[in-house]
């Protein structure tokens, strides 16, 4: 029995350029959040932050890194369309 093709797109339809840019932003945002957690966490610990200050600082760095890297990934994906 043949496998049924799954997914959002059928066999003849490709994702639109906007869909690709959304996917690029999402992937870039996730990568930026992960790197922001690593770098922001280490730098905050090095500055001696603890408790609520640590969480607030790391969260802010994660969102900033995710937004920045996601934006550049979306732009790069849009250029490739």
């Amino acid at each position: 029995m043949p496998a049924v093709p799954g997914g959002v797109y059928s066999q003849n339809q490709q994702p639109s350029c906007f869909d690709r840019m959304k996917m690029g932003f999402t992937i870039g945002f996730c990568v930026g959040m992960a790197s922001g957690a690593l770098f922001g966490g280490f730098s905050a610990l090095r500055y001696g932050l603890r408790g609520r200050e640590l969480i607030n600082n790391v969260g802010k760095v994660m969102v900033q890194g995710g937004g920045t890297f996601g934006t550049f990934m979306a732009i790069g994906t849009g250029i490739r369309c």
Side-chain angles (χ1 to χ4, degrees), residues 1-79:
M1 181 173 203
V4 178
V8 178
Y9 305 104
S10 67
Q11 196 170 11
N12 296 332
Q13 184 183 7
Q14 295 290 326
S16 68
C17 187
F18 185 68
D19 288 335
R20 290 181 184 180
M21 287 178 66
K22 285 192 299 187
M23 182 63 72
F25 179 81
T26 305
I27 292 171
F29 192 81
C30 291
V31 171
M33 289 274 285
S35 65
L38 287 174
F39 296 130
F42 286 130
S43 67
L45 288 173
R46 191 177 62 190
Y47 290 144
L49 300 179
R50 296 288 186 262
R52 183 172 290 182
E53 292 176 334
L54 175 72
I55 300 300
N56 287 340
N57 193 335
V58 171
K60 184 173 69 171
V61 171
M62 286 174 67
V63 171
Q64 286 176 346
T68 302
F69 197 71
T71 302
F72 284 119
M73 282 286 288
I75 291 169
T77 306
I79 290 172

